[in-house]
Amino acid sequence: MKIALITLLPEVVEAFTHYGVTGRAVAEKRIDLQSFNPRDFATDKHRTVDDRPYGGGPGMVMRCEPLQAAVQAAKDWIKDEALVVYLSPQGKRLEQARTEQLANRNLILIAGRYEGIDQRAIEKLVDEEISIGDYVLSGGELPALVLIDAILRHVPGVLGHADSADQDSFGEDGLDWPHYTRPEVFEGQAVPEVLLSGDHKMIEQWRRRQAIAKTRKMRPDLILNRKN
């Protein structure tokens, strides 16, 4: 699996590849992750990647030409079919099911900056727009890294335990169940007895009930959406 990130801040991606799930995936060569800086493909002496928006208004807009050249370089590097994704607040909200679907795809992720990218670049280059939530960030790098982290959890061998991804939050029963570890009693509050029973069937049933109850309380929309 190859992931190319089109970004003006490749240093952010470089740091990300040394830690956690992504660091393990890169070290074990389960994923190839490469940054492509549109500034490297600018043709003027100032390496310009943005300009003022037509029609006026604040901020700057990323230009088509450097973006197109960077995406083409990423495609040449991947040397296979790849889905081009633009991270933007206007995209479809990212959900767990989509991260599972993307886990077997080569990806080119475009992280915008400033006021975003020229609409013509979106129409010409982008296959899908994805948002990680209904809020605005300074750029697309953090959403891109969130997407990568979520996807890699579904790549075989990346997590330490084969069942970890299956038991994550937003699984079959909605949100995750409560977790406990040592000490057995903390400031007068004990671990639920069922978790100490050794009865795996009872523990599984308890966890499922807790997950459903937590989902009804914290995210009832997940239950409503599932019924629909």
Side-chain angles (χ1 to χ4, degrees), residues 157-200:
V158 169
L159 297 182
H161 195 290
D163 295 333
S164 293
D166 293 335
Q167 295 182 1
D168 279 343
S169 292
F170 304 104
E172 181 180 349
D173 298 317
L175 298 181
D176 205 358
W177 54 76
H179 296 274
Y180 298 88
T181 187
R182 293 175 177 80
E184 187 174 322
V185 179
F186 173 69
E187 295 187 352
Q189 188 173 6
V191 174
E193 290 185 9
V194 64
L195 299 179
L196 308 175
S197 68
D199 188 325
H200 296 293

Side-chain angles (χ1 to χ4, degrees), residues 119-140:
Q119 179 63 30
R120 293 167 295 183
I122 297 176
E123 294 173 0
K124 183 177 181 61
L125 304 173
V126 173
D127 299 312
E128 181 177 347
E129 293 186 60
I130 289 179
S131 168
I132 64 167
D134 296 336
Y135 48 87
V136 179
L137 296 172
S138 299

Side-chain angles (χ1 to χ4, degrees), residues 21 51 87 211 219:
V21 170
D51 210 331
L87 285 304
R219 291 291 304 277

Side-chain angles (χ1 to χ4, degrees), residues 12-217:
V12 173
V13 182
E14 175 62 24
F16 188 66
T17 63
H18 294 300
Y19 303 99
V21 170
T22 307
R24 185 182 307 117
V26 171
E28 295 178 355
K29 301 186 184 302
R30 300 183 186 278
I31 177 179
D32 286 334
L33 180 59
Q34 181 70 41
S35 297
F36 294 84
N37 191 338
R39 204 174 297 281
D40 294 335
F41 301 92
T43 56
D44 67 311
K45 65 178 182 179
H46 299 295
R47 301 171 71 196
T48 305
V49 295
D50 62 326
D51 210 331
R52 296 183 183 88
Y54 282 116
M60 306 287 277
V61 177
M62 293 184 69
R63 297 178 57 176
C64 294
E65 302 96 321
L67 281 170
Q68 183 178 42
V71 169
Q72 185 58 54
K75 289 182 176 180
D76 294 341
W77 171 70
I78 291 176
K79 298 179 180 178
D80 202 347
E81 183 179 352
L83 185 74
V84 180
V85 176
Y86 174 43
L87 285 304
S88 81
Q90 289 77 38
K92 185 175 181 180
R93 185 183 293 185
L94 180 65
E95 295 184 348
Q96 182 78 350
R98 189 60 180 141
T99 67
E100 295 177 22
Q101 294 165 358
L102 294 175
N104 296 314
R105 301 288 301 272
N106 294 318
L107 300 172
I108 299 174
L109 308 180
I110 300 178
R113 279 270 149 184
Y114 315 120
E115 294 301 311
I117 71 178
D118 191 302
Q119 179 63 30
R120 293 167 295 183
I122 297 176
E123 294 173 0
K124 183 177 181 61
L125 304 173
V126 173
D127 299 312
E128 181 177 347
E129 293 186 60
I130 289 179
S131 168
I132 64 167
D134 296 336
Y135 48 87
V136 179
L137 296 172
S138 299
E141 283 78 16
L142 290 178
L145 297 181
V146 166
L147 176 59
I148 292 171
D149 189 281
I151 289 171
L152 290 182
R153 300 182 65 82
H154 303 292
V155 175
V158 169
L159 297 182
H161 195 290
D163 295 333
S164 293
D166 293 335
Q167 295 182 1
D168 279 343
S169 292
F170 304 104
E172 181 180 349
D173 298 317
L175 298 181
D176 205 358
W177 54 76
H179 296 274
Y180 298 88
T181 187
R182 293 175 177 80
E184 187 174 322
V185 179
F186 173 69
E187 295 187 352
Q189 188 173 6
V191 174
E193 290 185 9
V194 64
L195 299 179
L196 308 175
S197 68
D199 188 325
H200 296 293
K201 184 176 181 179
M202 286 182 58
I203 291 172
E204 182 179 351
Q205 293 172 344
W206 178 87
R207 285 175 168 172
R208 187 170 190 273
R209 289 195 301 269
Q210 291 293 317
I212 293 172
K214 188 174 183 180
T215 304
R216 290 186 183 279
K217 179 180 179 180

